């Protein structure tokens, strides 16, 4: 295994750790080695760390993680978790405890993510993203393209977060509304400022539906904009044996959109209950999202009713009335 962690290809030395790469591993015996090697091979002019959480796998993943830790003791911070500490949401085991634990241990000014069954393909990913963060303090999140491949990597199925060949800035409202009804940034290309990951804010969201990925995405939208860099920097391994996608029944685009919108509304409630402390554009983005559901041709009437009920419970009547009044005045 190649040793790296700094610009000269050696283990990270003394000094500030500028970037932390959080990796969650569970039942990833066939994938975790490629994931870690892709991060270790990063070429940077600063120190970075790999914050690795292993969730008590039974397939040999833990042994591989230990081997990498032994080979790169100053580069990799390894947490060997217990299944007894797993957080359950709606009766199902999740990786939230592992995810939150990694963030809590991260020392970097910037946090990157990669699930153990995915990997990076651009050895300049860390350097380019950190340079962009340093250049623009108004950016809270950065995303790049991710290539979608089948499990054995023999076929390219498409791309995630492919927004063209020019750099773009997505506003907080854009981040809430999203471009496709899904998160702007896939997990394996998401980078955020560590300052947005306040533990008290994240911890109180663990009982809400959806992934920690979505929660971080929303947190970032409340602290700044998202920068899209037109590079392909990672591979998302579609429907690997351990992935949520492989275990989840196929659903229509309309059903996925309903679940995503339901998640956003629940998370917004958890953050601030639509108090004025939220920026007006973010509030308006949520309201515009509700409107988009009603004109969506692939959303069932039942789900339109459900999302409306969720919305009405969460939003102050006064705020809703003012919003409709503003829309009427524009007609």
């Amino acid at each position: 295994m190649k040793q790296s962690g700094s610009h000269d290809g050696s283990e990270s030395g003394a000094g500030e750790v500028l970037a932390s790469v959080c990796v969650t591993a569970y039942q990833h015996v066939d994938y975790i080695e490629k994931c870690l090697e892709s991060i270790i091979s990063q070429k940077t002019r600063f120190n970075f760390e790999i914050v690795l959480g292993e969730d008590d796998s039974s397939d040999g993943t833990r042994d591989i993680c230990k081997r990498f830790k032994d080979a790169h003791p100053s580069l990799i911070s390894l947490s060997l978790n217990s299944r007894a500490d797993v957080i359950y949401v709606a009766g199902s085991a999740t990786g939230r405890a592992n995810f939150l634990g990694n963030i809590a241990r991260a020392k970097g000014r910037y946090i990157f993510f990669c699930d153990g069954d995915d990997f990076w393909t651009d050895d300049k990913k860390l350097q380019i993203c950190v340079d962009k963060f340093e250049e623009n303090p108004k950016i809270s999140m950065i995303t790049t393209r991710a290539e979608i491949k089948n499990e054995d990597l023999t076929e390219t199925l498409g791309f995630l977060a492919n927004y063209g060949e020019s750099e773009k800035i997505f506003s907080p409202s854009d981040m809430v509304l999203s471009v496709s009804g899904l998160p702007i940034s896939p997990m394996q290309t998401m980078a955020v400022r560590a300052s947005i990951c306040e533990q008290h804010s994240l911890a109180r969201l663990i009982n809400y539906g959806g992934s920690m990925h979505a929660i971080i995405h929303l947190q970032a939208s409340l602290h700044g904009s998202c920068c899209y860099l037109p590079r392909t920097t990672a591979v998302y391994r579609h429907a690997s044996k351990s992935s949520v996608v492989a275990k989840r029944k196929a659903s229509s685009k309309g059903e996925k959109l309903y679940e995503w919108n339901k998640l956003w509304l629940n998370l917004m409630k958890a953050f601030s209950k639509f108090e004025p402390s939220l920026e007006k554009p973010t509030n308006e983005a949520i309201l515009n999202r509700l409107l988009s559901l009603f004109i969506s041709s692939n959303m069932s009437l039942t789900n339109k009713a459900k999302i409306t009920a969720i919305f009405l419970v969460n939003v102050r009547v006064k705020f809703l009335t003012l919003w409709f009044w503003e829309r009427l005045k524009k007609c």
Side-chain angles (χ1 to χ4, degrees):
M1 292 180 287
K2 180 183 176 182
Q3 295 191 10
S4 186
S6 63
H7 69 283
D8 60 1
S10 62
E11 289 286 349
S12 296
E16 179 188 8
V17 173
L18 202 56
S20 298
V21 186
C22 292
V23 178
T24 52
Y26 179 64
Q27 304 296 78
H28 289 156
V29 67
D30 295 331
Y31 320 119
I32 190 63
E33 188 166 345
K34 188 172 186 65
C35 171
L36 294 175
E37 285 179 343
S38 74
I39 301 169
I40 290 169
S41 66
Q42 288 291 299
K43 294 180 173 62
T44 68
R45 298 188 298 273
F46 53 80
N47 291 330
F48 69 93
E49 65 173 353
I50 299 174
V51 184
L52 175 59
E54 205 293 308
D55 234 2
D56 208 358
S57 303
S58 60
D59 64 349
T61 300
R62 177 161 292 204
D63 291 335
I64 296 174
C65 291
K66 288 179 178 178
R67 175 160 56 87
F68 269 80
K69 168 64 177 175
D70 290 342
H72 306 277
S74 61
L75 175 61
I76 297 177
S77 168
L78 174 61
S79 175
L80 300 175
N81 304 319
S82 167
R83 296 305 290 170
D85 298 323
V86 167
I87 294 173
Y88 286 78
V89 175
S92 299
T94 71
R96 288 170 185 253
N98 193 4
F99 190 95
L100 288 171
N102 281 352
I103 291 177
R105 293 187 294 117
K107 300 175 182 176
R109 192 184 305 170
Y110 309 107
I111 298 180
F112 295 72
F113 303 94
C114 191
D115 290 334
D117 53 347
D118 301 323
F119 59 95
W120 290 356
T121 56
D122 186 341
D123 62 8
K124 298 181 178 63
K125 174 181 171 63
L126 281 178
Q127 185 65 59
I128 289 169
C129 289
V130 166
D131 286 347
K132 182 57 64 175
F133 274 129
E134 298 278 282
E135 173 189 315
N136 188 342
K138 294 183 179 180
I139 292 172
S140 62
M141 185 171 82
I142 292 175
T143 188
T144 61
R145 285 190 296 259
E147 187 176 9
I148 308 171
K149 284 186 171 290
N150 59 350
E151 186 184 1
D152 60 6
L153 308 179
T154 58
E155 183 180 357
T156 296
L157 306 176
F159 290 86
L160 296 171
N162 186 6
Y163 306 121
E165 296 304 321
S166 59
E167 183 176 312
K168 292 179 173 62
I169 297 293
F170 293 106
S171 70
S173 297
D174 294 330
M175 294 164 70
V176 173
L177 283 168
S178 303
V179 173
S180 61
L182 295 172
I184 281 178
S185 177
M187 178 64 80
Q188 55 283 123
T189 74
M190 179 189 286
V192 298
R193 294 184 185 274
S195 58
I196 76 164
C197 297
E198 299 100 340
Q199 286 298 304
H200 69 281
S201 295
L202 297 179
R204 64 188 173 135
L205 297 172
I206 60 176
N207 292 321
Y208 284 79
S211 65
M212 287 303 302
H213 168 210
I215 291 171
I216 295 292
H217 188 112
L218 177 59
Q219 187 98 332
S221 76
L222 300 178
H223 290 79
S225 302
C226 173
C227 178
Y228 163 71
L229 301 177
R231 301 173 67 96
T232 301
T233 66
V235 163
Y236 166 66
R237 200 186 300 257
H238 178 72
S240 65
K241 293 189 291 290
S242 59
S243 73
V244 175
V245 174
K247 300 172 184 176
R248 188 171 54 201
K249 291 182 179 179
S251 57
S252 68
K253 182 178 179 181
E255 296 305 306
K256 290 178 181 176
L257 186 60
Y258 160 69
E259 290 299 329
W260 180 238
N261 281 275
K262 177 181 176 181
L263 168 64
W264 276 120
L265 291 172
N266 280 339
L267 291 179
M268 291 301 291
K269 176 185 177 183
F271 267 103
S272 63
K273 298 181 180 178
F274 288 84
E275 293 289 351
S277 58
L278 275 180
E279 293 181 5
K280 184 178 179 182
T282 304
N283 276 322
E284 290 181 345
I286 293 292
L287 291 163
N288 285 328
R289 175 169 281 281
L290 173 67
L291 183 62
S292 73
L293 287 175
F294 280 95
I295 62 176
S296 171
S297 60
N298 55 15
M299 181 66 60
S300 69
L301 289 175
T302 299
N303 281 341
K304 286 181 181 180
K306 287 180 180 178
I307 203 71
T308 304
I310 293 168
F311 182 84
L312 292 175
V313 167
N314 293 344
V315 182
R316 294 178 182 275
V317 175
K318 180 180 178 181
F319 187 81
L320 184 63
T321 303
L322 289 173
W323 178 74
F324 275 117
W325 175 245
E326 289 296 322
R327 291 297 179 274
L328 284 173
K329 286 194 296 184
K330 293 179 180 179
C331 293

